[in-house]
mmCIF file of all heavy atoms in Angstrom:
data_model
loop_
_atom_site.group_PDB
_atom_site.id
_atom_site.type_symbol
_atom_site.label_atom_id
_atom_site.label_comp_id
_atom_site.label_asym_id
_atom_site.label_seq_id
_atom_site.Cartn_x
_atom_site.Cartn_y
_atom_site.Cartn_z
ATOM 1 N N PRO A 1 67.142 -127.036 -34.877
ATOM 2 C CA PRO A 1 67.727 -126.059 -35.806
ATOM 3 C C PRO A 1 68.732 -126.702 -36.726
ATOM 4 O O PRO A 1 69.408 -127.658 -36.382
ATOM 5 C CB PRO A 1 68.371 -125.017 -34.888
ATOM 6 C CG PRO A 1 68.652 -125.785 -33.613
ATOM 7 C CD PRO A 1 67.549 -126.767 -33.479
ATOM 8 N N SER A 2 68.872 -126.125 -37.908
ATOM 9 C CA SER A 2 69.783 -126.612 -38.942
ATOM 10 C C SER A 2 70.728 -125.474 -39.319
ATOM 11 O O SER A 2 70.314 -124.343 -39.448
ATOM 12 C CB SER A 2 69.005 -127.096 -40.150
ATOM 13 O OG SER A 2 69.867 -127.556 -41.172
ATOM 14 N N TYR A 3 72.026 -125.832 -39.539
ATOM 15 C CA TYR A 3 73.056 -124.852 -39.859
ATOM 16 C C TYR A 3 73.896 -125.277 -41.034
ATOM 17 O O TYR A 3 74.153 -126.471 -41.215
ATOM 18 C CB TYR A 3 73.956 -124.607 -38.640
ATOM 19 C CG TYR A 3 73.270 -124.091 -37.448
ATOM 20 C CD1 TYR A 3 72.818 -124.961 -36.435
ATOM 21 C CD2 TYR A 3 73.024 -122.724 -37.273
ATOM 22 C CE1 TYR A 3 72.205 -124.485 -35.310
ATOM 23 C CE2 TYR A 3 72.398 -122.256 -36.113
ATOM 24 C CZ TYR A 3 71.981 -123.139 -35.163
ATOM 25 O OH TYR A 3 71.363 -122.668 -34.019
ATOM 26 N N ALA A 4 74.328 -124.317 -41.810
ATOM 27 C CA ALA A 4 75.351 -124.574 -42.798
ATOM 28 C C ALA A 4 76.675 -124.898 -42.097
ATOM 29 O O ALA A 4 76.946 -124.386 -41.015
ATOM 30 C CB ALA A 4 75.521 -123.369 -43.697
ATOM 31 N N ASP A 5 77.487 -125.738 -42.731
ATOM 32 C CA ASP A 5 78.751 -126.135 -42.133
ATOM 33 C C ASP A 5 79.647 -124.883 -41.855
ATOM 34 O O ASP A 5 80.418 -124.897 -40.893
ATOM 35 C CB ASP A 5 79.495 -127.107 -43.016
ATOM 36 C CG ASP A 5 78.822 -128.463 -43.063
ATOM 37 O OD1 ASP A 5 78.060 -128.757 -42.152
ATOM 38 O OD2 ASP A 5 79.130 -129.233 -44.020
ATOM 39 N N SER A 6 79.528 -123.893 -42.691
ATOM 40 C CA SER A 6 80.402 -122.711 -42.575
ATOM 41 C C SER A 6 80.127 -121.899 -41.304
ATOM 42 O O SER A 6 80.996 -121.133 -40.888
ATOM 43 C CB SER A 6 80.272 -121.838 -43.803
ATOM 44 O OG SER A 6 78.931 -121.405 -43.966
ATOM 45 N N VAL A 7 78.952 -122.064 -40.722
ATOM 46 C CA VAL A 7 78.615 -121.248 -39.537
ATOM 47 C C VAL A 7 78.338 -122.094 -38.314
ATOM 48 O O VAL A 7 78.163 -121.543 -37.224
ATOM 49 C CB VAL A 7 77.353 -120.345 -39.812
ATOM 50 C CG1 VAL A 7 77.622 -119.496 -41.041
ATOM 51 C CG2 VAL A 7 76.115 -121.168 -39.964
ATOM 52 N N LYS A 8 78.302 -123.393 -38.442
ATOM 53 C CA LYS A 8 78.000 -124.254 -37.323
ATOM 54 C C LYS A 8 79.016 -124.090 -36.182
ATOM 55 O O LYS A 8 80.205 -124.087 -36.393
ATOM 56 C CB LYS A 8 77.989 -125.714 -37.793
ATOM 57 C CG LYS A 8 77.310 -126.683 -36.820
ATOM 58 C CD LYS A 8 77.115 -128.043 -37.461
ATOM 59 C CE LYS A 8 76.293 -128.974 -36.581
ATOM 60 N NZ LYS A 8 76.074 -130.292 -37.225
ATOM 61 N N GLY A 9 78.475 -123.933 -34.997
ATOM 62 C CA GLY A 9 79.313 -123.699 -33.840
ATOM 63 C C GLY A 9 79.547 -122.231 -33.534
ATOM 64 O O GLY A 9 80.019 -121.901 -32.444
ATOM 65 N N ARG A 10 79.235 -121.353 -34.498
ATOM 66 C CA ARG A 10 79.411 -119.930 -34.299
ATOM 67 C C ARG A 10 78.084 -119.170 -34.263
ATOM 68 O O ARG A 10 77.951 -118.196 -33.546
ATOM 69 C CB ARG A 10 80.317 -119.366 -35.394
ATOM 70 C CG ARG A 10 81.714 -119.962 -35.417
ATOM 71 C CD ARG A 10 82.595 -119.242 -36.417
ATOM 72 N NE ARG A 10 82.094 -119.345 -37.784
ATOM 73 C CZ ARG A 10 81.715 -118.317 -38.529
ATOM 74 N NH1 ARG A 10 81.790 -117.066 -38.057
ATOM 75 N NH2 ARG A 10 81.269 -118.510 -39.768
ATOM 76 N N PHE A 11 77.143 -119.608 -35.074
ATOM 77 C CA PHE A 11 75.852 -118.914 -35.189
ATOM 78 C C PHE A 11 74.784 -119.758 -34.484
ATOM 79 O O PHE A 11 74.860 -120.977 -34.440
ATOM 80 C CB PHE A 11 75.443 -118.768 -36.653
ATOM 81 C CG PHE A 11 76.233 -117.776 -37.463
ATOM 82 C CD1 PHE A 11 77.410 -117.240 -36.954
ATOM 83 C CD2 PHE A 11 75.807 -117.405 -38.713
ATOM 84 C CE1 PHE A 11 78.155 -116.340 -37.687
ATOM 85 C CE2 PHE A 11 76.539 -116.520 -39.463
ATOM 86 C CZ PHE A 11 77.736 -115.970 -38.971
ATOM 87 N N THR A 12 73.781 -119.067 -33.957
ATOM 88 C CA THR A 12 72.639 -119.700 -33.295
ATOM 89 C C THR A 12 71.365 -119.073 -33.790
ATOM 90 O O THR A 12 71.193 -117.849 -33.702
ATOM 91 C CB THR A 12 72.754 -119.591 -31.767
ATOM 92 O OG1 THR A 12 73.970 -120.194 -31.291
ATOM 93 C CG2 THR A 12 71.566 -120.298 -31.131
ATOM 94 N N ILE A 13 70.451 -119.912 -34.265
ATOM 95 C CA ILE A 13 69.129 -119.429 -34.673
ATOM 96 C C ILE A 13 68.137 -119.770 -33.551
ATOM 97 O O ILE A 13 68.202 -120.855 -32.988
ATOM 98 C CB ILE A 13 68.722 -120.030 -36.029
ATOM 99 C CG1 ILE A 13 67.410 -119.363 -36.524
ATOM 100 C CG2 ILE A 13 68.570 -121.541 -35.940
ATOM 101 C CD1 ILE A 13 67.026 -119.735 -37.940
ATOM 102 N N SER A 14 67.235 -118.866 -33.272
ATOM 103 C CA SER A 14 66.190 -119.101 -32.306
ATOM 104 C C SER A 14 64.951 -118.350 -32.697
ATOM 105 O O SER A 14 64.980 -117.517 -33.614
ATOM 106 C CB SER A 14 66.677 -118.640 -30.894
ATOM 107 O OG SER A 14 66.982 -117.274 -30.878
ATOM 108 N N ARG A 15 63.864 -118.637 -32.016
ATOM 109 C CA ARG A 15 62.616 -117.949 -32.348
ATOM 110 C C ARG A 15 61.779 -117.715 -31.121
ATOM 111 O O ARG A 15 61.861 -118.453 -30.132
ATOM 112 C CB ARG A 15 61.819 -118.722 -33.400
ATOM 113 C CG ARG A 15 61.298 -120.085 -32.934
ATOM 114 C CD ARG A 15 60.721 -120.845 -34.110
ATOM 115 N NE ARG A 15 59.570 -120.153 -34.708
ATOM 116 C CZ ARG A 15 59.067 -120.480 -35.920
ATOM 117 N NH1 ARG A 15 59.596 -121.451 -36.623
ATOM 118 N NH2 ARG A 15 58.035 -119.804 -36.365
ATOM 119 N N ASP A 16 60.991 -116.681 -31.164
ATOM 120 C CA ASP A 16 60.021 -116.347 -30.146
ATOM 121 C C ASP A 16 58.650 -116.269 -30.811
ATOM 122 O O ASP A 16 58.321 -115.234 -31.444
ATOM 123 C CB ASP A 16 60.399 -115.017 -29.464
ATOM 124 C CG ASP A 16 59.490 -114.683 -28.315
ATOM 125 O OD1 ASP A 16 58.390 -115.217 -28.224
ATOM 126 O OD2 ASP A 16 59.903 -113.818 -27.496
ATOM 127 N N ASN A 17 57.898 -117.330 -30.694
ATOM 128 C CA ASN A 17 56.641 -117.412 -31.400
ATOM 129 C C ASN A 17 55.610 -116.370 -30.868
ATOM 130 O O ASN A 17 54.730 -115.966 -31.618
ATOM 131 C CB ASN A 17 56.073 -118.818 -31.315
ATOM 132 C CG ASN A 17 56.839 -119.763 -32.187
ATOM 133 O OD1 ASN A 17 57.499 -119.385 -33.164
ATOM 134 N ND2 ASN A 17 56.758 -121.062 -31.868
ATOM 135 N N ALA A 18 55.713 -116.030 -29.593
ATOM 136 C CA ALA A 18 54.834 -115.013 -29.051
ATOM 137 C C ALA A 18 55.013 -113.693 -29.751
ATOM 138 O O ALA A 18 54.077 -112.891 -29.822
ATOM 139 C CB ALA A 18 55.016 -114.882 -27.557
ATOM 140 N N LYS A 19 56.217 -113.425 -30.204
ATOM 141 C CA LYS A 19 56.522 -112.169 -30.919
ATOM 142 C C LYS A 19 56.632 -112.380 -32.429
ATOM 143 O O LYS A 19 56.882 -111.385 -33.151
ATOM 144 C CB LYS A 19 57.847 -111.597 -30.423
ATOM 145 C CG LYS A 19 57.862 -111.237 -28.932
ATOM 146 C CD LYS A 19 59.224 -110.670 -28.526
ATOM 147 C CE LYS A 19 59.238 -110.266 -27.062
ATOM 148 N NZ LYS A 19 60.561 -109.747 -26.651
ATOM 149 N N ASN A 20 56.426 -113.578 -32.907
ATOM 150 C CA ASN A 20 56.553 -113.885 -34.312
ATOM 151 C C ASN A 20 57.901 -113.408 -34.873
ATOM 152 O O ASN A 20 57.985 -112.799 -35.937
ATOM 153 C CB ASN A 20 55.421 -113.284 -35.137
ATOM 154 C CG ASN A 20 54.061 -113.950 -34.900
ATOM 155 O OD1 ASN A 20 54.028 -115.131 -34.560
ATOM 156 N ND2 ASN A 20 53.013 -113.205 -35.070
ATOM 157 N N THR A 21 58.932 -113.729 -34.109
ATOM 158 C CA THR A 21 60.252 -113.209 -34.424
ATOM 159 C C THR A 21 61.308 -114.339 -34.426
ATOM 160 O O THR A 21 61.265 -115.188 -33.548
ATOM 161 C CB THR A 21 60.663 -112.114 -33.449
ATOM 162 O OG1 THR A 21 59.715 -111.042 -33.504
ATOM 163 C CG2 THR A 21 62.044 -111.570 -33.725
ATOM 164 N N VAL A 22 62.203 -114.272 -35.382
ATOM 165 C CA VAL A 22 63.334 -115.185 -35.419
ATOM 166 C C VAL A 22 64.610 -114.370 -35.275
ATOM 167 O O VAL A 22 64.698 -113.241 -35.701
ATOM 168 C CB VAL A 22 63.349 -116.017 -36.731
ATOM 169 C CG1 VAL A 22 63.569 -115.088 -37.945
ATOM 170 C CG2 VAL A 22 64.451 -117.089 -36.694
ATOM 171 N N TYR A 23 65.609 -114.986 -34.611
ATOM 172 C CA TYR A 23 66.872 -114.310 -34.331
ATOM 173 C C TYR A 23 68.047 -115.102 -34.918
ATOM 174 O O TYR A 23 67.952 -116.322 -35.064
ATOM 175 C CB TYR A 23 67.074 -114.161 -32.799
ATOM 176 C CG TYR A 23 65.976 -113.418 -32.104
ATOM 177 C CD1 TYR A 23 64.906 -114.127 -31.556
ATOM 178 C CD2 TYR A 23 65.982 -112.042 -31.994
ATOM 179 C CE1 TYR A 23 63.871 -113.469 -30.884
ATOM 180 C CE2 TYR A 23 64.946 -111.371 -31.327
ATOM 181 C CZ TYR A 23 63.901 -112.088 -30.806
ATOM 182 O OH TYR A 23 62.894 -111.452 -30.129
ATOM 183 N N LEU A 24 69.122 -114.392 -35.190
ATOM 184 C CA LEU A 24 70.337 -115.003 -35.590
ATOM 185 C C LEU A 24 71.474 -114.378 -34.765
ATOM 186 O O LEU A 24 71.815 -113.222 -34.988
ATOM 187 C CB LEU A 24 70.622 -114.838 -37.103
ATOM 188 C CG LEU A 24 71.875 -115.564 -37.603
ATOM 189 C CD1 LEU A 24 71.665 -117.082 -37.540
ATOM 190 C CD2 LEU A 24 72.211 -115.170 -39.026
ATOM 191 N N GLN A 25 71.983 -115.119 -33.810
ATOM 192 C CA GLN A 25 73.099 -114.686 -33.018
ATOM 193 C C GLN A 25 74.373 -115.131 -33.694
ATOM 194 O O GLN A 25 74.616 -116.326 -33.851
ATOM 195 C CB GLN A 25 73.009 -115.261 -31.595
ATOM 196 C CG GLN A 25 74.173 -114.905 -30.695
ATOM 197 C CD GLN A 25 74.226 -113.430 -30.375
ATOM 198 O OE1 GLN A 25 73.186 -112.841 -30.013
ATOM 199 N NE2 GLN A 25 75.375 -112.799 -30.513
ATOM 200 N N MET A 26 75.211 -114.186 -34.066
ATOM 201 C CA MET A 26 76.447 -114.456 -34.797
ATOM 202 C C MET A 26 77.622 -114.131 -33.911
ATOM 203 O O MET A 26 77.837 -112.987 -33.547
ATOM 204 C CB MET A 26 76.489 -113.658 -36.095
ATOM 205 C CG MET A 26 75.330 -113.913 -37.028
ATOM 206 S SD MET A 26 75.398 -112.969 -38.564
ATOM 207 C CE MET A 26 75.063 -111.328 -37.945
ATOM 208 N N ASN A 27 78.389 -115.163 -33.569
ATOM 209 C CA ASN A 27 79.579 -115.005 -32.735
ATOM 210 C C ASN A 27 80.821 -115.397 -33.558
ATOM 211 O O ASN A 27 80.759 -116.059 -34.552
ATOM 212 C CB ASN A 27 79.492 -115.891 -31.501
ATOM 213 C CG ASN A 27 78.338 -115.507 -30.587
ATOM 214 O OD1 ASN A 27 77.979 -114.345 -30.497
ATOM 215 N ND2 ASN A 27 77.764 -116.500 -29.903
ATOM 216 N N SER A 28 81.961 -115.008 -33.054
ATOM 217 C CA SER A 28 83.278 -115.291 -33.673
ATOM 218 C C SER A 28 83.220 -114.974 -35.186
ATOM 219 O O SER A 28 83.617 -115.785 -36.017
ATOM 220 C CB SER A 28 83.629 -116.767 -33.479
ATOM 221 O OG SER A 28 83.725 -117.047 -32.089
ATOM 222 N N LEU A 29 82.749 -113.796 -35.498
ATOM 223 C CA LEU A 29 82.547 -113.436 -36.896
ATOM 224 C C LEU A 29 83.862 -113.348 -37.666
ATOM 225 O O LEU A 29 84.914 -112.932 -37.111
ATOM 226 C CB LEU A 29 81.826 -112.092 -36.999
ATOM 227 C CG LEU A 29 80.304 -112.172 -36.739
ATOM 228 C CD1 LEU A 29 79.741 -110.794 -36.427
ATOM 229 C CD2 LEU A 29 79.637 -112.763 -37.944
ATOM 230 N N LYS A 30 83.813 -113.751 -38.911
ATOM 231 C CA LYS A 30 84.975 -113.758 -39.808
ATOM 232 C C LYS A 30 84.693 -112.855 -40.983
ATOM 233 O O LYS A 30 83.556 -112.602 -41.347
ATOM 234 C CB LYS A 30 85.233 -115.195 -40.310
ATOM 235 C CG LYS A 30 85.437 -116.245 -39.237
ATOM 236 C CD LYS A 30 85.582 -117.631 -39.835
ATOM 237 C CE LYS A 30 85.764 -118.641 -38.802
ATOM 238 N NZ LYS A 30 85.909 -120.013 -39.389
ATOM 239 N N PRO A 31 85.741 -112.345 -41.665
ATOM 240 C CA PRO A 31 85.500 -111.539 -42.852
ATOM 241 C C PRO A 31 84.691 -112.281 -43.931
ATOM 242 O O PRO A 31 83.971 -111.624 -44.668
ATOM 243 C CB PRO A 31 86.929 -111.255 -43.359
ATOM 244 C CG PRO A 31 87.747 -111.269 -42.113
ATOM 245 C CD PRO A 31 87.144 -112.340 -41.268
ATOM 246 N N GLU A 32 84.785 -113.594 -43.976
ATOM 247 C CA GLU A 32 84.017 -114.391 -44.920
ATOM 248 C C GLU A 32 82.529 -114.344 -44.649
ATOM 249 O O GLU A 32 81.744 -114.750 -45.508
ATOM 250 C CB GLU A 32 84.490 -115.854 -44.933
ATOM 251 C CG GLU A 32 85.991 -116.036 -45.126
ATOM 252 C CD GLU A 32 86.752 -116.010 -43.834
ATOM 253 O OE1 GLU A 32 86.874 -117.112 -43.219
ATOM 254 O OE2 GLU A 32 87.252 -114.934 -43.460
ATOM 255 N N ASP A 33 82.120 -113.900 -43.490
ATOM 256 C CA ASP A 33 80.698 -113.761 -43.164
ATOM 257 C C ASP A 33 80.077 -112.499 -43.736
ATOM 258 O O ASP A 33 78.887 -112.299 -43.657
ATOM 259 C CB ASP A 33 80.497 -113.760 -41.662
ATOM 260 C CG ASP A 33 80.903 -115.068 -41.007
ATOM 261 O OD1 ASP A 33 80.600 -116.161 -41.563
ATOM 262 O OD2 ASP A 33 81.559 -115.038 -39.934
ATOM 263 N N THR A 34 80.901 -111.632 -44.297
ATOM 264 C CA THR A 34 80.368 -110.398 -44.880
ATOM 265 C C THR A 34 79.426 -110.699 -46.018
ATOM 266 O O THR A 34 79.753 -111.416 -46.973
ATOM 267 C CB THR A 34 81.532 -109.546 -45.387
ATOM 268 O OG1 THR A 34 82.361 -109.142 -44.296
ATOM 269 C CG2 THR A 34 81.018 -108.291 -46.093
ATOM 270 N N ALA A 35 78.208 -110.162 -45.914
ATOM 271 C CA ALA A 35 77.178 -110.459 -46.910
ATOM 272 C C ALA A 35 75.926 -109.661 -46.569
ATOM 273 O O ALA A 35 75.828 -109.026 -45.505
ATOM 274 C CB ALA A 35 76.821 -111.940 -46.935
ATOM 275 N N VAL A 36 74.966 -109.678 -47.477
ATOM 276 C CA VAL A 36 73.621 -109.204 -47.179
ATOM 277 C C VAL A 36 72.838 -110.400 -46.649
ATOM 278 O O VAL A 36 72.753 -111.448 -47.285
ATOM 279 C CB VAL A 36 72.917 -108.649 -48.441
ATOM 280 C CG1 VAL A 36 71.490 -108.288 -48.091
ATOM 281 C CG2 VAL A 36 73.677 -107.446 -48.948
ATOM 282 N N TYR A 37 72.283 -110.250 -45.465
ATOM 283 C CA TYR A 37 71.561 -111.304 -44.822
ATOM 284 C C TYR A 37 70.065 -111.141 -45.003
ATOM 285 O O TYR A 37 69.515 -110.057 -44.762
ATOM 286 C CB TYR A 37 71.893 -111.360 -43.313
ATOM 287 C CG TYR A 37 73.264 -111.975 -43.076
ATOM 288 C CD1 TYR A 37 74.438 -111.313 -43.400
ATOM 289 C CD2 TYR A 37 73.339 -113.248 -42.500
ATOM 290 C CE1 TYR A 37 75.656 -111.880 -43.174
ATOM 291 C CE2 TYR A 37 74.581 -113.831 -42.267
ATOM 292 C CZ TYR A 37 75.731 -113.134 -42.627
ATOM 293 O OH TYR A 37 76.948 -113.754 -42.374
ATOM 294 N N TYR A 38 69.401 -112.233 -45.372
ATOM 295 C CA TYR A 38 67.973 -112.209 -45.650
ATOM 296 C C TYR A 38 67.240 -113.185 -44.718
ATOM 297 O O TYR A 38 67.649 -114.338 -44.579
ATOM 298 C CB TYR A 38 67.677 -112.631 -47.095
ATOM 299 C CG TYR A 38 68.189 -111.659 -48.131
ATOM 300 C CD1 TYR A 38 69.460 -111.829 -48.675
ATOM 301 C CD2 TYR A 38 67.408 -110.631 -48.593
ATOM 302 C CE1 TYR A 38 69.928 -110.982 -49.672
ATOM 303 C CE2 TYR A 38 67.873 -109.739 -49.542
ATOM 304 C CZ TYR A 38 69.148 -109.944 -50.077
ATOM 305 O OH TYR A 38 69.602 -109.094 -51.043
ATOM 306 N N CYS A 39 66.193 -112.714 -44.130
ATOM 307 C CA CYS A 39 65.265 -113.579 -43.409
ATOM 308 C C CYS A 39 64.262 -114.191 -44.345
ATOM 309 O O CYS A 39 63.861 -113.535 -45.314
ATOM 310 C CB CYS A 39 64.541 -112.739 -42.334
ATOM 311 S SG CYS A 39 63.265 -113.602 -41.430
ATOM 312 N N ALA A 40 63.909 -115.443 -44.119
ATOM 313 C CA ALA A 40 62.930 -116.114 -44.970
ATOM 314 C C ALA A 40 61.967 -116.910 -44.129
ATOM 315 O O ALA A 40 62.277 -117.341 -43.004
ATOM 316 C CB ALA A 40 63.659 -117.060 -45.933
ATOM 317 N N ALA A 41 60.749 -117.124 -44.650
ATOM 318 C CA ALA A 41 59.724 -117.844 -43.931
ATOM 319 C C ALA A 41 58.912 -118.679 -44.920
ATOM 320 O O ALA A 41 58.740 -118.295 -46.072
ATOM 321 C CB ALA A 41 58.814 -116.908 -43.170
ATOM 322 N N GLY A 42 58.433 -119.840 -44.465
ATOM 323 C CA GLY A 42 57.648 -120.695 -45.300
ATOM 324 C C GLY A 42 57.061 -121.848 -44.528
ATOM 325 O O GLY A 42 57.037 -121.855 -43.314
ATOM 326 N N TRP A 43 56.598 -122.847 -45.290
ATOM 327 C CA TRP A 43 55.931 -124.000 -44.710
ATOM 328 C C TRP A 43 56.731 -125.262 -44.772
ATOM 329 O O TRP A 43 56.359 -126.254 -44.146
ATOM 330 C CB TRP A 43 54.595 -124.178 -45.407
ATOM 331 C CG TRP A 43 53.805 -122.916 -45.520
ATOM 332 C CD1 TRP A 43 53.531 -122.216 -46.654
ATOM 333 C CD2 TRP A 43 53.228 -122.180 -44.436
ATOM 334 N NE1 TRP A 43 52.814 -121.063 -46.353
ATOM 335 C CE2 TRP A 43 52.601 -121.028 -45.018
ATOM 336 C CE3 TRP A 43 53.156 -122.346 -43.069
ATOM 337 C CZ2 TRP A 43 51.914 -120.082 -44.231
ATOM 338 C CZ3 TRP A 43 52.478 -121.393 -42.299
ATOM 339 C CH2 TRP A 43 51.882 -120.282 -42.882
ATOM 340 N N ILE A 44 57.805 -125.272 -45.545
ATOM 341 C CA ILE A 44 58.635 -126.478 -45.726
ATOM 342 C C ILE A 44 60.045 -126.210 -45.209
ATOM 343 O O ILE A 44 60.663 -125.197 -45.552
ATOM 344 C CB ILE A 44 58.710 -126.877 -47.195
ATOM 345 C CG1 ILE A 44 57.285 -127.037 -47.784
ATOM 346 C CG2 ILE A 44 59.515 -128.144 -47.394
ATOM 347 C CD1 ILE A 44 56.496 -128.146 -47.120
ATOM 348 N N LEU A 45 60.532 -127.128 -44.398
ATOM 349 C CA LEU A 45 61.891 -127.032 -43.865
ATOM 350 C C LEU A 45 62.886 -127.445 -44.968
ATOM 351 O O LEU A 45 62.927 -128.599 -45.345
ATOM 352 C CB LEU A 45 62.069 -127.865 -42.639
ATOM 353 C CG LEU A 45 63.435 -127.814 -41.961
ATOM 354 C CD1 LEU A 45 63.680 -126.389 -41.417
ATOM 355 C CD2 LEU A 45 63.526 -128.825 -40.817
ATOM 356 N N THR A 46 63.665 -126.460 -45.466
ATOM 357 C CA THR A 46 64.571 -126.738 -46.554
ATOM 358 C C THR A 46 65.707 -125.766 -46.549
ATOM 359 O O THR A 46 65.586 -124.660 -46.020
ATOM 360 C CB THR A 46 63.813 -126.669 -47.916
ATOM 361 O OG1 THR A 46 64.730 -126.827 -48.993
ATOM 362 C CG2 THR A 46 63.112 -125.324 -48.061
#
């Protein structure tokens, strides 16, 4: 998994391929984390 520096150590991304689902566990949330969050999918890791 890859993380932005701003969330590294606080957020965890995981996936369950049997359910075709990705998760984002967000801990130690800060006011700066306030945003609209979008899930994305594709073929290239970027």
Side-chain angles (χ1 to χ4, degrees):
S2 179
Y3 300 94
D5 289 341
S6 60
V7 306
K8 196 170 186 177
R10 300 186 298 118
F11 290 11
T12 302
I13 188 171
S14 61
R15 66 189 298 165
D16 184 342
N17 288 337
K19 298 180 179 179
N20 289 332
T21 300
V22 64
Y23 304 92
L24 185 67
Q25 178 66 47
M26 302 181 289
N27 298 327
S28 301
L29 283 163
K30 305 175 181 179
E32 306 90 86
D33 296 318
T34 296
V36 176
Y37 283 72
Y38 295 92
C39 174
W43 312 111
I44 306 297
L45 183 64
T46 175

